[in-house]
Amino acid sequence: MPIPCVSPLCTQSLGFSSGCSNSSGMCVFQLQYGDGSVDAGYISVDAFHLNGRTSKPIVFGCATIDIDTVPVPTSGIMGLNAGPFSFPSQIFSAGSDVSKKFAYCLPDRYRNLNKGGTILFGEYNITGANFSYTPLVPPYGPVGDLYYFVDMQGISVGDHYMEVKAHMKSESMEVGGTIFDSGTAVTHLMKNLHEKLVSEIRRQTMNLSPFAMNGSASDVCYRVPMNTTELPKLPLVTMHFQSGVDLELGPESLLYPTGYDAQGIVLCLAFISSQSGIPFNIIGNYQQQNYWVEYNLQSSRLGLVKASC
């Protein structure tokens, strides 16, 4: 149900830009995501049915985006951040008996482009999932209360280890300088760290003839034949987090298809340099493929376990 401009919600601080549409008389919103993309539409309120129970009224947005800009068929975007009006924050709000945790499992998009993943809220039992947990750490700066910060301590390319802290410019961001974000596609790394990672991957894959493609945000791309289902054999890239938790990235989580030419399909590295206005690393959903990722807000920790999503 859309919210009229006279509703108190229209003037309340919602954690994103909102206001009144003079043409419709309805409350509208505009929201910018961590990767700089923007969404906009009408603010609405409705109840949701979860595991046989009806929720209290939940605020959500009816987006007016052009569906042609969405790469695969979809009915919407679910906000999962830590802000007060995200979906989990509202269903976990005071007085709710829903356990404050959620988890999702995303299939790799190279081989399963049109297959959906799974998301669970509250109490659930994932068969065979033995999670390893890293703490959610104190955030810094004005966006700190919106995102889930973790302490990424290093990145390995094969046997070559790079310490993250050594490549973070701002001392205040040394701890809490990395977020897990389900809404950002590829991983954004601080400029110095990104340059070091790209240089090392390029050095270890010279036999695959890496190149930079015009119009691509990535600095390293590869070609594979049109009729192949095999990805280039890249070195294992591992992100290392506090408490000894690792996120291992195979080729399906390192490369994404950007197009094709007469020589074959072009696959580019799914890491880009952070925009100048984003003073932290963002681990995007491409790097979370084929993992169960759990946000346990009761225990303030993030869990990872490999899976076939």
Side-chain angles (χ1 to χ4, degrees):
M1 181 176 64
I3 298 300
C5 292
V6 295
S7 169
L9 269 176
C10 207
T11 56
Q12 185 177 343
S13 177
L14 300 174
F16 48 83
S17 299
S18 60
C20 179
S21 168
N22 293 329
S23 60
S24 67
M26 296 296 174
C27 195
V28 295
F29 76 92
Q30 181 171 303
L31 178 64
Q32 183 169 358
Y33 294 99
D35 64 353
S37 58
V38 176
D39 198 2
Y42 294 98
I43 297 177
S44 299
V45 173
D46 209 338
F48 285 75
H49 298 279
L50 301 169
N51 197 24
R53 291 179 292 183
T54 302
S55 73
K56 69 175 187 178
I58 287 178
V59 178
F60 66 99
C62 288
T64 55
I65 59 172
D66 181 355
I67 197 65
D68 291 336
T69 65
V70 179
V72 292
T74 183
S75 57
I77 300 172
M78 178 176 283
L80 299 175
N81 70 21
F85 286 93
S86 71
F87 187 77
S89 293
Q90 291 189 79
I91 65 171
F92 298 154
S93 61
S96 170
D97 60 353
V98 179
S99 296
K100 296 181 179 179
K101 63 178 183 175
F102 65 94
Y104 53 74
C105 199
L106 306 174
D108 82 79
R109 280 170 279 183
Y110 185 74
R111 298 182 179 88
N112 302 288
L113 180 61
N114 294 315
K115 292 185 179 179
T118 303
I119 185 166
L120 305 171
F121 294 93
E123 285 299 327
Y124 47 77
N125 181 31
I126 303 171
T127 304
N130 185 18
F131 283 97
S132 296
Y133 290 97
T134 188
L136 293 172
V137 299
Y140 298 91
V143 299
D145 60 348
L146 291 178
Y147 301 115
Y148 302 104
F149 283 81
V150 294
D151 181 10
M152 183 168 66
Q153 299 177 331
I155 301 178
S156 295
V157 181
D159 294 329
H160 182 86
Y161 179 82
M162 294 170 286
E163 185 182 7
V164 167
K165 188 180 296 186
H167 301 283
M168 299 291 283
K169 286 186 176 180
S170 171
E171 292 183 3
S172 66
M173 297 299 292
E174 285 182 356
V175 176
T178 300
I179 67 172
F180 261 77
D181 187 19
S182 60
T184 298
V186 302
T187 288
H188 296 232
L189 296 176
M190 296 288 285
K191 185 174 184 292
N192 287 358
L193 182 59
H194 177 259
E195 290 176 352
K196 184 74 173 177
L197 176 71
V198 167
S199 176
E200 185 59 28
I201 292 177
R202 183 189 294 275
R203 185 186 71 81
Q204 294 191 31
T205 60
M206 290 305 295
N207 62 310
L208 299 175
S209 303
F211 66 96
M213 181 181 180
N214 292 334
S216 169
S218 177
D219 300 301
V220 179
C221 299
Y222 307 88
R223 284 189 181 88
V224 295
M226 280 288 193
N227 58 353
T228 187
T229 59
E230 296 299 317
L231 290 165
K233 295 186 182 301
L234 269 62
L236 181 69
V237 174
T238 306
M239 295 178 171
H240 306 282
F241 301 95
Q242 185 179 339
S243 302
V245 176
D246 289 341
L247 179 64
E248 296 182 343
L249 308 176
E252 71 281 355
S253 295
L254 293 174
L255 299 171
Y256 69 98
T258 61
Y260 61 91
D261 56 24
Q263 301 175 61
I265 301 171
V266 178
L267 304 167
C268 293
L269 197 62
F271 292 83
I272 62 176
S273 181
S274 292
Q275 299 176 24
S276 58
I278 303 177
F280 46 78
N281 304 309
I282 305 173
I283 299 176
N285 56 50
Y286 227 87
Q287 281 63 50
Q288 301 174 44
Q289 297 176 133
N290 284 330
Y291 268 84
W292 274 107
V293 182
E294 180 182 86
Y295 299 77
N296 190 321
L297 307 183
Q298 291 183 163
S299 302
S300 191
R301 60 184 186 170
L302 184 139
L304 296 172
V305 63
K306 282 185 178 181
S308 178
C309 300

